[in-house]
Amino acid sequence: NAGVTQTPKFQVLKTGQSMTLQCAQDMNHEYMSWYRQDPGMGLRLIHYSVGAGITDQGEVPNGYNVSRSTTEDFPLRLLSAAPSQTSVYFCASSSLTGGENQPQHFGDGTRLSIL
Amino acid sequence: AQSVTQPDIHITVSEGASLELRCNYSYGATPYLFWYVQSPGQGLQLLLKYFSGDTLVQGIKGFEAEFKRSQSSFNLRKPSVHWSDAAEYFCAVGEGGSQGNLIFGKGTKLSVKP
């Protein structure tokens, strides 16, 4: 049981390049989300999804796109990378059973540098 | 809007000493509360959670937390800290319902002196 898998673990981009951060979970969780973590800022929600075909914006969505075509996968796309997007990105998933906030399971993160 | 405050950015304790990390939340209804730990270069691991019932909850690694509604607090405690507890700790609050979003505090970094 792999849990939440993020790829790549490290990436360096040049300003203006595009890329996709991959996230996959094997727990059949309905909820998936992307956070960015910056020093002294904690985790800030970028986008989230409560099921296949359903996505919504979080606190800091600008510059990022997401899609959810399957329950398992939730990729995060940077269309035109900017230095301000240098950060550590975490994907998380959880069950939505019973209307309660269930604990979120986190991947190990992707460390992204934009030059 | 919901918010979470962790007043202490960095705490240093001696190995074997007791620990209390503070967390205050702002939320209108009964919140769902969580504590996570992050070791360097790793993702976040759940320590414990509070949904309802007994206000003192036990977690992994010998941690516990107490929900105090009157103080809007959910402080994390450990009676005797080990060197391996050095990490960053995050408090989070959720609103339940049909979506699973959590609001995280900015974290408290714990250093442990030998």
Side-chain angles (χ1 to χ4, degrees):
Chain A
N1 192 348
V4 178
T5 302
Q6 290 184 237
T7 56
K9 294 189 182 304
F10 303 93
Q11 184 71 48
V12 178
L13 293 178
K14 295 181 179 179
T15 298
Q17 286 186 315
S18 63
M19 83 159 294
T20 299
L21 279 62
Q22 302 291 345
C23 175
Q25 53 93 7
D26 60 0
M27 297 170 283
N28 203 33
H29 284 165
E30 301 92 339
Y31 177 89
M32 296 186 74
S33 58
W34 278 101
Y35 296 89
R36 61 177 289 172
Q37 183 179 29
D38 303 291
M41 300 295 291
L43 278 78
R44 293 182 291 170
L45 183 65
I46 304 172
H47 285 286
Y48 67 96
S49 168
V50 297
I54 306 170
T55 64
D56 207 344
Q57 296 181 350
E59 179 186 357
V60 288
N62 292 342
Y64 307 95
N65 283 347
V66 293
S67 60
R68 184 96 179 267
S69 57
T70 67
T71 300
E72 294 78 20
D73 300 299
F74 191 46
L76 178 72
R77 297 182 185 85
L78 284 71
L79 297 179
S80 180
S84 61
Q85 294 178 304
T86 293
S87 187
V88 181
Y89 292 84
F90 287 99
C91 179
S93 73
S94 71
S95 168
L96 290 177
T97 302
E100 297 181 338
N101 269 114
Q102 299 298 328
Q104 293 188 11
H105 299 253
F106 284 81
D108 288 336
T110 294
R111 285 150 184 79
L112 182 62
S113 294
I114 315 295
L115 305 178
Chain B
Q2 303 95 326
S3 65
V4 177
T5 301
Q6 294 181 247
D8 303 305
I9 297 173
H10 189 187
I11 285 181
T12 300
V13 300
S14 297
E15 191 168 16
S18 63
L19 171 70
E20 183 170 27
L21 301 182
R22 296 183 290 165
C23 173
N24 294 98
Y25 65 90
S26 173
Y27 184 62
T30 300
Y32 297 88
L33 294 162
F34 305 83
W35 275 100
Y36 286 86
V37 60
Q38 184 183 32
S39 299
Q42 301 295 315
L44 276 71
Q45 180 185 19
L46 179 71
L47 282 176
L48 48 78
K49 62 186 180 185
Y50 172 78
F51 285 359
S52 63
D54 193 348
T55 57
L56 183 64
V57 293
Q58 303 297 320
I60 62 171
K61 305 185 180 185
F63 285 92
E64 66 178 25
E66 186 171 13
F67 170 59
K68 293 186 177 180
R69 184 189 302 275
S70 61
Q71 298 177 19
S72 297
S73 69
F74 189 55
N75 293 349
L76 182 71
R77 302 194 293 246
K78 187 170 184 178
S80 177
V81 169
H82 188 263
W83 64 266
S84 60
D85 293 325
E88 191 155 19
Y89 292 79
F90 293 92
C91 181
V93 62
E95 61 182 2
S98 60
Q99 50 119 308
N101 291 348
L102 297 181
I103 304 297
F104 284 84
K106 294 184 178 180
T108 297
K109 184 176 180 180
L110 173 65
S111 297
V112 180
K113 292 190 298 184

PDB file of all heavy atoms in Angstrom, chain B residues 49-84:
ATOM      1  N   LYS B  49      -5.959  13.425  16.529  1.00  0.00           N
ATOM      2  CA  LYS B  49      -7.105  14.174  16.021  1.00  0.00           C
ATOM      3  C   LYS B  49      -8.178  14.257  17.091  1.00  0.00           C
ATOM      4  O   LYS B  49      -8.275  13.395  17.958  1.00  0.00           O
ATOM      5  CB  LYS B  49      -7.675  13.474  14.782  1.00  0.00           C
ATOM      6  CG  LYS B  49      -8.200  12.077  15.075  1.00  0.00           C
ATOM      7  CD  LYS B  49      -8.632  11.346  13.830  1.00  0.00           C
ATOM      8  CE  LYS B  49      -9.160   9.941  14.185  1.00  0.00           C
ATOM      9  NZ  LYS B  49      -9.482   9.141  13.000  1.00  0.00           N
ATOM     10  N   TYR B  50      -8.983  15.303  17.008  1.00  0.00           N
ATOM     11  CA  TYR B  50     -10.138  15.461  17.878  1.00  0.00           C
ATOM     12  C   TYR B  50     -11.354  15.714  17.001  1.00  0.00           C
ATOM     13  O   TYR B  50     -11.388  16.667  16.223  1.00  0.00           O
ATOM     14  CB  TYR B  50      -9.954  16.616  18.856  1.00  0.00           C
ATOM     15  CG  TYR B  50     -11.222  16.908  19.625  1.00  0.00           C
ATOM     16  CD1 TYR B  50     -11.605  16.109  20.695  1.00  0.00           C
ATOM     17  CD2 TYR B  50     -12.055  17.958  19.252  1.00  0.00           C
ATOM     18  CE1 TYR B  50     -12.779  16.361  21.379  1.00  0.00           C
ATOM     19  CE2 TYR B  50     -13.223  18.206  19.929  1.00  0.00           C
ATOM     20  CZ  TYR B  50     -13.588  17.404  20.988  1.00  0.00           C
ATOM     21  OH  TYR B  50     -14.758  17.646  21.663  1.00  0.00           O
ATOM     22  N   PHE B  51     -12.364  14.863  17.180  1.00  0.00           N
ATOM     23  CA  PHE B  51     -13.621  15.065  16.468  1.00  0.00           C
ATOM     24  C   PHE B  51     -14.735  15.425  17.451  1.00  0.00           C
ATOM     25  O   PHE B  51     -15.491  16.359  17.215  1.00  0.00           O
ATOM     26  CB  PHE B  51     -14.018  13.808  15.696  1.00  0.00           C
ATOM     27  CG  PHE B  51     -13.212  13.574  14.443  1.00  0.00           C
ATOM     28  CD1 PHE B  51     -12.213  14.454  14.048  1.00  0.00           C
ATOM     29  CD2 PHE B  51     -13.454  12.471  13.647  1.00  0.00           C
ATOM     30  CE1 PHE B  51     -11.467  14.239  12.897  1.00  0.00           C
ATOM     31  CE2 PHE B  51     -12.719  12.245  12.476  1.00  0.00           C
ATOM     32  CZ  PHE B  51     -11.741  13.126  12.108  1.00  0.00           C
ATOM     33  N   SER B  52     -14.849  14.663  18.533  1.00  0.00           N
ATOM     34  CA  SER B  52     -15.879  14.889  19.527  1.00  0.00           C
ATOM     35  C   SER B  52     -15.565  13.989  20.714  1.00  0.00           C
ATOM     36  O   SER B  52     -14.630  13.196  20.694  1.00  0.00           O
ATOM     37  CB  SER B  52     -17.269  14.577  18.974  1.00  0.00           C
ATOM     38  OG  SER B  52     -17.363  13.208  18.635  1.00  0.00           O
ATOM     39  N   GLY B  53     -16.365  14.118  21.783  1.00  0.00           N
ATOM     40  CA  GLY B  53     -16.208  13.222  22.921  1.00  0.00           C
ATOM     41  C   GLY B  53     -15.165  13.708  23.900  1.00  0.00           C
ATOM     42  O   GLY B  53     -15.048  14.914  24.172  1.00  0.00           O
ATOM     43  N   ASP B  54     -14.385  12.772  24.424  1.00  0.00           N
ATOM     44  CA  ASP B  54     -13.374  13.075  25.428  1.00  0.00           C
ATOM     45  C   ASP B  54     -12.440  14.172  24.921  1.00  0.00           C
ATOM     46  O   ASP B  54     -11.876  14.075  23.835  1.00  0.00           O
ATOM     47  CB  ASP B  54     -12.579  11.819  25.759  1.00  0.00           C
ATOM     48  CG  ASP B  54     -11.723  11.984  27.009  1.00  0.00           C
ATOM     49  OD1 ASP B  54     -11.574  13.126  27.490  1.00  0.00           O
ATOM     50  OD2 ASP B  54     -11.213  10.971  27.508  1.00  0.00           O
ATOM     51  N   THR B  55     -12.279  15.209  25.731  1.00  0.00           N
ATOM     52  CA  THR B  55     -11.492  16.358  25.283  1.00  0.00           C
ATOM     53  C   THR B  55      -9.997  16.130  25.376  1.00  0.00           C
ATOM     54  O   THR B  55      -9.217  16.943  24.877  1.00  0.00           O
ATOM     55  CB  THR B  55     -11.871  17.600  26.093  1.00  0.00           C
ATOM     56  OG1 THR B  55     -11.680  17.325  27.491  1.00  0.00           O
ATOM     57  CG2 THR B  55     -13.319  17.992  25.842  1.00  0.00           C
ATOM     58  N   LEU B  56      -9.572  15.073  26.020  1.00  0.00           N
ATOM     59  CA  LEU B  56      -8.159  14.723  26.079  1.00  0.00           C
ATOM     60  C   LEU B  56      -7.942  13.542  25.131  1.00  0.00           C
ATOM     61  O   LEU B  56      -8.495  12.471  25.342  1.00  0.00           O
ATOM     62  CB  LEU B  56      -7.752  14.353  27.506  1.00  0.00           C
ATOM     63  CG  LEU B  56      -6.262  14.036  27.715  1.00  0.00           C
ATOM     64  CD1 LEU B  56      -5.415  15.281  27.436  1.00  0.00           C
ATOM     65  CD2 LEU B  56      -6.017  13.546  29.135  1.00  0.00           C
ATOM     66  N   VAL B  57      -7.159  13.765  24.100  1.00  0.00           N
ATOM     67  CA  VAL B  57      -6.954  12.728  23.098  1.00  0.00           C
ATOM     68  C   VAL B  57      -5.505  12.266  23.099  1.00  0.00           C
ATOM     69  O   VAL B  57      -4.588  13.067  23.286  1.00  0.00           O
ATOM     70  CB  VAL B  57      -7.353  13.208  21.694  1.00  0.00           C
ATOM     71  CG1 VAL B  57      -8.840  13.446  21.621  1.00  0.00           C
ATOM     72  CG2 VAL B  57      -6.610  14.475  21.291  1.00  0.00           C
ATOM     73  N   GLN B  58      -5.343  10.986  22.917  1.00  0.00           N
ATOM     74  CA  GLN B  58      -4.016  10.388  22.878  1.00  0.00           C
ATOM     75  C   GLN B  58      -3.609  10.154  21.425  1.00  0.00           C
ATOM     76  O   GLN B  58      -4.430   9.832  20.579  1.00  0.00           O
ATOM     77  CB  GLN B  58      -4.019   9.056  23.635  1.00  0.00           C
ATOM     78  CG  GLN B  58      -4.465   9.158  25.071  1.00  0.00           C
ATOM     79  CD  GLN B  58      -3.544  10.016  25.910  1.00  0.00           C
ATOM     80  OE1 GLN B  58      -2.327   9.963  25.771  1.00  0.00           O
ATOM     81  NE2 GLN B  58      -4.126  10.822  26.796  1.00  0.00           N
ATOM     82  N   GLY B  59      -2.320  10.331  21.173  1.00  0.00           N
ATOM     83  CA  GLY B  59      -1.828  10.117  19.829  1.00  0.00           C
ATOM     84  C   GLY B  59      -0.656   9.163  19.808  1.00  0.00           C
ATOM     85  O   GLY B  59      -0.378   8.477  20.780  1.00  0.00           O
ATOM     86  N   ILE B  60       0.031   9.181  18.695  1.00  0.00           N
ATOM     87  CA  ILE B  60       1.199   8.315  18.545  1.00  0.00           C
ATOM     88  C   ILE B  60       2.414   8.962  19.193  1.00  0.00           C
ATOM     89  O   ILE B  60       2.393  10.159  19.528  1.00  0.00           O
ATOM     90  CB  ILE B  60       1.482   8.024  17.065  1.00  0.00           C
ATOM     91  CG1 ILE B  60       1.813   9.309  16.305  1.00  0.00           C
ATOM     92  CG2 ILE B  60       0.299   7.305  16.426  1.00  0.00           C
ATOM     93  CD1 ILE B  60       2.309   9.066  14.888  1.00  0.00           C
ATOM     94  N   LYS B  61       3.433   8.190  19.419  1.00  0.00           N
ATOM     95  CA  LYS B  61       4.726   8.655  19.928  1.00  0.00           C
ATOM     96  C   LYS B  61       4.615   9.285  21.307  1.00  0.00           C
ATOM     97  O   LYS B  61       5.474  10.093  21.689  1.00  0.00           O
ATOM     98  CB  LYS B  61       5.384   9.644  18.954  1.00  0.00           C
ATOM     99  CG  LYS B  61       5.556   9.114  17.551  1.00  0.00           C
ATOM    100  CD  LYS B  61       6.311  10.089  16.675  1.00  0.00           C
ATOM    101  CE  LYS B  61       6.470   9.532  15.278  1.00  0.00           C
ATOM    102  NZ  LYS B  61       7.314  10.389  14.413  1.00  0.00           N
ATOM    103  N   GLY B  62       3.588   8.963  22.078  1.00  0.00           N
ATOM    104  CA  GLY B  62       3.455   9.462  23.437  1.00  0.00           C
ATOM    105  C   GLY B  62       2.884  10.865  23.564  1.00  0.00           C
ATOM    106  O   GLY B  62       2.906  11.453  24.656  1.00  0.00           O
ATOM    107  N   PHE B  63       2.375  11.414  22.477  1.00  0.00           N
ATOM    108  CA  PHE B  63       1.776  12.752  22.503  1.00  0.00           C
ATOM    109  C   PHE B  63       0.301  12.700  22.909  1.00  0.00           C
ATOM    110  O   PHE B  63      -0.384  11.717  22.659  1.00  0.00           O
ATOM    111  CB  PHE B  63       1.888  13.420  21.128  1.00  0.00           C
ATOM    112  CG  PHE B  63       3.275  13.903  20.804  1.00  0.00           C
ATOM    113  CD1 PHE B  63       4.164  13.089  20.128  1.00  0.00           C
ATOM    114  CD2 PHE B  63       3.683  15.177  21.188  1.00  0.00           C
ATOM    115  CE1 PHE B  63       5.447  13.525  19.831  1.00  0.00           C
ATOM    116  CE2 PHE B  63       4.960  15.626  20.888  1.00  0.00           C
ATOM    117  CZ  PHE B  63       5.844  14.785  20.217  1.00  0.00           C
ATOM    118  N   GLU B  64      -0.156  13.783  23.513  1.00  0.00           N
ATOM    119  CA  GLU B  64      -1.564  13.969  23.808  1.00  0.00           C
ATOM    120  C   GLU B  64      -1.921  15.429  23.583  1.00  0.00           C
ATOM    121  O   GLU B  64      -1.043  16.299  23.531  1.00  0.00           O
ATOM    122  CB  GLU B  64      -1.892  13.574  25.253  1.00  0.00           C
ATOM    123  CG  GLU B  64      -1.261  14.453  26.302  1.00  0.00           C
ATOM    124  CD  GLU B  64      -1.664  14.050  27.712  1.00  0.00           C
ATOM    125  OE1 GLU B  64      -2.016  12.872  27.947  1.00  0.00           O
ATOM    126  OE2 GLU B  64      -1.614  14.930  28.596  1.00  0.00           O
ATOM    127  N   ALA B  65      -3.205  15.694  23.433  1.00  0.00           N
ATOM    128  CA  ALA B  65      -3.664  17.072  23.261  1.00  0.00           C
ATOM    129  C   ALA B  65      -4.996  17.225  23.973  1.00  0.00           C
ATOM    130  O   ALA B  65      -5.778  16.280  24.073  1.00  0.00           O
ATOM    131  CB  ALA B  65      -3.797  17.435  21.788  1.00  0.00           C
ATOM    132  N   GLU B  66      -5.255  18.416  24.454  1.00  0.00           N
ATOM    133  CA  GLU B  66      -6.488  18.699  25.175  1.00  0.00           C
ATOM    134  C   GLU B  66      -7.261  19.796  24.470  1.00  0.00           C
ATOM    135  O   GLU B  66      -6.731  20.893  24.227  1.00  0.00           O
ATOM    136  CB  GLU B  66      -6.205  19.103  26.620  1.00  0.00           C
ATOM    137  CG  GLU B  66      -7.482  19.265  27.440  1.00  0.00           C
ATOM    138  CD  GLU B  66      -7.215  19.446  28.922  1.00  0.00           C
ATOM    139  OE1 GLU B  66      -6.055  19.699  29.289  1.00  0.00           O
ATOM    140  OE2 GLU B  66      -8.182  19.349  29.705  1.00  0.00           O
ATOM    141  N   PHE B  67      -8.510  19.524  24.159  1.00  0.00           N
ATOM    142  CA  PHE B  67      -9.411  20.495  23.546  1.00  0.00           C
ATOM    143  C   PHE B  67     -10.090  21.285  24.655  1.00  0.00           C
ATOM    144  O   PHE B  67     -10.748  20.705  25.535  1.00  0.00           O
ATOM    145  CB  PHE B  67     -10.453  19.767  22.697  1.00  0.00           C
ATOM    146  CG  PHE B  67     -11.577  20.634  22.201  1.00  0.00           C
ATOM    147  CD1 PHE B  67     -11.313  21.742  21.412  1.00  0.00           C
ATOM    148  CD2 PHE B  67     -12.901  20.344  22.512  1.00  0.00           C
ATOM    149  CE1 PHE B  67     -12.340  22.544  20.943  1.00  0.00           C
ATOM    150  CE2 PHE B  67     -13.940  21.140  22.035  1.00  0.00           C
ATOM    151  CZ  PHE B  67     -13.648  22.252  21.252  1.00  0.00           C
ATOM    152  N   LYS B  68      -9.925  22.598  24.632  1.00  0.00           N
ATOM    153  CA  LYS B  68     -10.583  23.479  25.597  1.00  0.00           C
ATOM    154  C   LYS B  68     -11.420  24.478  24.811  1.00  0.00           C
ATOM    155  O   LYS B  68     -10.900  25.474  24.282  1.00  0.00           O
ATOM    156  CB  LYS B  68      -9.551  24.186  26.473  1.00  0.00           C
ATOM    157  CG  LYS B  68      -8.792  23.265  27.406  1.00  0.00           C
ATOM    158  CD  LYS B  68      -7.877  24.045  28.347  1.00  0.00           C
ATOM    159  CE  LYS B  68      -7.175  23.105  29.330  1.00  0.00           C
ATOM    160  NZ  LYS B  68      -6.275  23.836  30.254  1.00  0.00           N
ATOM    161  N   ARG B  69     -12.714  24.231  24.801  1.00  0.00           N
ATOM    162  CA  ARG B  69     -13.614  25.078  24.037  1.00  0.00           C
ATOM    163  C   ARG B  69     -13.604  26.511  24.538  1.00  0.00           C
ATOM    164  O   ARG B  69     -13.599  27.456  23.754  1.00  0.00           O
ATOM    165  CB  ARG B  69     -15.042  24.518  24.094  1.00  0.00           C
ATOM    166  CG  ARG B  69     -16.042  25.280  23.234  1.00  0.00           C
ATOM    167  CD  ARG B  69     -17.464  24.809  23.520  1.00  0.00           C
ATOM    168  NE  ARG B  69     -17.608  23.392  23.277  1.00  0.00           N
ATOM    169  CZ  ARG B  69     -17.865  22.868  22.089  1.00  0.00           C
ATOM    170  NH1 ARG B  69     -17.994  23.644  21.036  1.00  0.00           N
ATOM    171  NH2 ARG B  69     -17.990  21.569  21.953  1.00  0.00           N
ATOM    172  N   SER B  70     -13.574  26.683  25.864  1.00  0.00           N
ATOM    173  CA  SER B  70     -13.656  28.031  26.451  1.00  0.00           C
ATOM    174  C   SER B  70     -12.446  28.884  26.069  1.00  0.00           C
ATOM    175  O   SER B  70     -12.534  30.113  26.040  1.00  0.00           O
ATOM    176  CB  SER B  70     -13.767  27.932  27.966  1.00  0.00           C
ATOM    177  OG  SER B  70     -12.614  27.294  28.506  1.00  0.00           O
ATOM    178  N   GLN B  71     -11.330  28.235  25.786  1.00  0.00           N
ATOM    179  CA  GLN B  71     -10.111  28.963  25.429  1.00  0.00           C
ATOM    180  C   GLN B  71      -9.798  28.857  23.942  1.00  0.00           C
ATOM    181  O   GLN B  71      -8.782  29.382  23.494  1.00  0.00           O
ATOM    182  CB  GLN B  71      -8.928  28.430  26.246  1.00  0.00           C
ATOM    183  CG  GLN B  71      -9.091  28.615  27.749  1.00  0.00           C
ATOM    184  CD  GLN B  71      -7.947  28.017  28.540  1.00  0.00           C
ATOM    185  OE1 GLN B  71      -6.875  27.771  28.010  1.00  0.00           O
ATOM    186  NE2 GLN B  71      -8.177  27.763  29.822  1.00  0.00           N
ATOM    187  N   SER B  72     -10.644  28.164  23.187  1.00  0.00           N
ATOM    188  CA  SER B  72     -10.403  27.925  21.756  1.00  0.00           C
ATOM    189  C   SER B  72      -8.986  27.409  21.538  1.00  0.00           C
ATOM    190  O   SER B  72      -8.242  27.889  20.666  1.00  0.00           O
ATOM    191  CB  SER B  72     -10.625  29.206  20.942  1.00  0.00           C
ATOM    192  OG  SER B  72     -11.960  29.628  21.035  1.00  0.00           O
ATOM    193  N   SER B  73      -8.616  26.427  22.350  1.00  0.00           N
ATOM    194  CA  SER B  73      -7.241  25.926  22.272  1.00  0.00           C
ATOM    195  C   SER B  73      -7.218  24.425  22.106  1.00  0.00           C
ATOM    196  O   SER B  73      -8.162  23.711  22.460  1.00  0.00           O
ATOM    197  CB  SER B  73      -6.459  26.327  23.521  1.00  0.00           C
ATOM    198  OG  SER B  73      -6.927  25.628  24.659  1.00  0.00           O
ATOM    199  N   PHE B  74      -6.121  23.966  21.569  1.00  0.00           N
ATOM    200  CA  PHE B  74      -5.891  22.534  21.357  1.00  0.00           C
ATOM    201  C   PHE B  74      -4.383  22.323  21.484  1.00  0.00           C
ATOM    202  O   PHE B  74      -3.683  22.068  20.521  1.00  0.00           O
ATOM    203  CB  PHE B  74      -6.416  22.115  19.989  1.00  0.00           C
ATOM    204  CG  PHE B  74      -6.426  20.621  19.746  1.00  0.00           C
ATOM    205  CD1 PHE B  74      -7.075  19.760  20.606  1.00  0.00           C
ATOM    206  CD2 PHE B  74      -5.790  20.082  18.628  1.00  0.00           C
ATOM    207  CE1 PHE B  74      -7.103  18.390  20.381  1.00  0.00           C
ATOM    208  CE2 PHE B  74      -5.802  18.713  18.387  1.00  0.00           C
ATOM    209  CZ  PHE B  74      -6.458  17.863  19.266  1.00  0.00           C
ATOM    210  N   ASN B  75      -3.887  22.405  22.701  1.00  0.00           N
ATOM    211  CA  ASN B  75      -2.444  22.347  22.942  1.00  0.00           C
ATOM    212  C   ASN B  75      -1.934  20.908  22.951  1.00  0.00           C
ATOM    213  O   ASN B  75      -2.579  20.001  23.484  1.00  0.00           O
ATOM    214  CB  ASN B  75      -2.106  23.016  24.258  1.00  0.00           C
ATOM    215  CG  ASN B  75      -2.370  24.514  24.219  1.00  0.00           C
ATOM    216  OD1 ASN B  75      -2.613  25.103  23.163  1.00  0.00           O
ATOM    217  ND2 ASN B  75      -2.355  25.135  25.394  1.00  0.00           N
ATOM    218  N   LEU B  76      -0.758  20.744  22.404  1.00  0.00           N
ATOM    219  CA  LEU B  76      -0.101  19.432  22.306  1.00  0.00           C
ATOM    220  C   LEU B  76       0.887  19.283  23.446  1.00  0.00           C
ATOM    221  O   LEU B  76       1.651  20.218  23.725  1.00  0.00           O
ATOM    222  CB  LEU B  76       0.620  19.323  20.955  1.00  0.00           C
ATOM    223  CG  LEU B  76       1.326  18.002  20.650  1.00  0.00           C
ATOM    224  CD1 LEU B  76       0.302  16.898  20.379  1.00  0.00           C
ATOM    225  CD2 LEU B  76       2.249  18.174  19.440  1.00  0.00           C
ATOM    226  N   ARG B  77       0.911  18.100  24.067  1.00  0.00           N
ATOM    227  CA  ARG B  77       1.799  17.891  25.213  1.00  0.00           C
ATOM    228  C   ARG B  77       2.503  16.542  25.099  1.00  0.00           C
ATOM    229  O   ARG B  77       2.010  15.600  24.465  1.00  0.00           O
ATOM    230  CB  ARG B  77       1.013  17.923  26.527  1.00  0.00           C
ATOM    231  CG  ARG B  77       0.256  19.217  26.768  1.00  0.00           C
ATOM    232  CD  ARG B  77      -0.204  19.313  28.195  1.00  0.00           C
ATOM    233  NE  ARG B  77      -1.217  18.305  28.524  1.00  0.00           N
ATOM    234  CZ  ARG B  77      -2.471  18.592  28.823  1.00  0.00           C
ATOM    235  NH1 ARG B  77      -2.886  19.839  28.791  1.00  0.00           N
ATOM    236  NH2 ARG B  77      -3.306  17.639  29.143  1.00  0.00           N
ATOM    237  N   LYS B  78       3.670  16.516  25.739  1.00  0.00           N
ATOM    238  CA  LYS B  78       4.393  15.257  25.902  1.00  0.00           C
ATOM    239  C   LYS B  78       5.149  15.335  27.212  1.00  0.00           C
ATOM    240  O   LYS B  78       5.838  16.337  27.463  1.00  0.00           O
ATOM    241  CB  LYS B  78       5.346  14.995  24.732  1.00  0.00           C
ATOM    242  CG  LYS B  78       5.987  13.609  24.789  1.00  0.00           C
ATOM    243  CD  LYS B  78       6.729  13.266  23.520  1.00  0.00           C
ATOM    244  CE  LYS B  78       7.257  11.828  23.593  1.00  0.00           C
ATOM    245  NZ  LYS B  78       7.952  11.411  22.348  1.00  0.00           N
ATOM    246  N   PRO B  79       5.049  14.346  28.070  1.00  0.00           N
ATOM    247  CA  PRO B  79       5.657  14.440  29.396  1.00  0.00           C
ATOM    248  C   PRO B  79       7.186  14.391  29.379  1.00  0.00           C
ATOM    249  O   PRO B  79       7.826  14.999  30.239  1.00  0.00           O
ATOM    250  CB  PRO B  79       5.081  13.234  30.152  1.00  0.00           C
ATOM    251  CG  PRO B  79       4.468  12.350  29.125  1.00  0.00           C
ATOM    252  CD  PRO B  79       4.201  13.159  27.913  1.00  0.00           C
ATOM    253  N   SER B  80       7.781  13.705  28.418  1.00  0.00           N
ATOM    254  CA  SER B  80       9.233  13.574  28.392  1.00  0.00           C
ATOM    255  C   SER B  80       9.691  13.515  26.930  1.00  0.00           C
ATOM    256  O   SER B  80       9.426  12.549  26.219  1.00  0.00           O
ATOM    257  CB  SER B  80       9.668  12.303  29.135  1.00  0.00           C
ATOM    258  OG  SER B  80      11.071  12.134  29.064  1.00  0.00           O
ATOM    259  N   VAL B  81      10.404  14.539  26.518  1.00  0.00           N
ATOM    260  CA  VAL B  81      10.792  14.675  25.113  1.00  0.00           C
ATOM    261  C   VAL B  81      12.041  13.854  24.816  1.00  0.00           C
ATOM    262  O   VAL B  81      12.984  13.811  25.628  1.00  0.00           O
ATOM    263  CB  VAL B  81      11.027  16.168  24.783  1.00  0.00           C
ATOM    264  CG1 VAL B  81      11.678  16.320  23.420  1.00  0.00           C
ATOM    265  CG2 VAL B  81       9.716  16.920  24.816  1.00  0.00           C
ATOM    266  N   HIS B  82      12.053  13.236  23.658  1.00  0.00           N
ATOM    267  CA  HIS B  82      13.202  12.475  23.180  1.00  0.00           C
ATOM    268  C   HIS B  82      13.858  13.247  22.052  1.00  0.00           C
ATOM    269  O   HIS B  82      13.209  14.041  21.351  1.00  0.00           O
ATOM    270  CB  HIS B  82      12.700  11.097  22.694  1.00  0.00           C
ATOM    271  CG  HIS B  82      13.776  10.131  22.340  1.00  0.00           C
ATOM    272  ND1 HIS B  82      14.210   9.927  21.047  1.00  0.00           N
ATOM    273  CD2 HIS B  82      14.527   9.309  23.122  1.00  0.00           C
ATOM    274  CE1 HIS B  82      15.170   9.016  21.030  1.00  0.00           C
ATOM    275  NE2 HIS B  82      15.381   8.629  22.279  1.00  0.00           N
ATOM    276  N   TRP B  83      15.156  13.004  21.824  1.00  0.00           N
ATOM    277  CA  TRP B  83      15.864  13.740  20.772  1.00  0.00           C
ATOM    278  C   TRP B  83      15.190  13.551  19.413  1.00  0.00           C
ATOM    279  O   TRP B  83      15.212  14.445  18.561  1.00  0.00           O
ATOM    280  CB  TRP B  83      17.332  13.293  20.684  1.00  0.00           C
ATOM    281  CG  TRP B  83      17.537  11.866  20.287  1.00  0.00           C
ATOM    282  CD1 TRP B  83      17.692  10.797  21.098  1.00  0.00           C
ATOM    283  CD2 TRP B  83      17.574  11.345  18.942  1.00  0.00           C
ATOM    284  NE1 TRP B  83      17.819   9.646  20.372  1.00  0.00           N
ATOM    285  CE2 TRP B  83      17.764   9.947  19.046  1.00  0.00           C
ATOM    286  CE3 TRP B  83      17.465  11.922  17.674  1.00  0.00           C
ATOM    287  CZ2 TRP B  83      17.849   9.125  17.922  1.00  0.00           C
ATOM    288  CZ3 TRP B  83      17.556  11.098  16.560  1.00  0.00           C
ATOM    289  CH2 TRP B  83      17.739   9.717  16.685  1.00  0.00           C
ATOM    290  N   SER B  84      14.561  12.396  19.206  1.00  0.00           N
ATOM    291  CA  SER B  84      13.933  12.122  17.916  1.00  0.00           C
ATOM    292  C   SER B  84      12.650  12.925  17.711  1.00  0.00           C
ATOM    293  O   SER B  84      12.079  12.896  16.615  1.00  0.00           O
ATOM    294  CB  SER B  84      13.618  10.632  17.789  1.00  0.00           C
ATOM    295  OG  SER B  84      12.737  10.225  18.817  1.00  0.00           O
TER     296      SER B  84
END
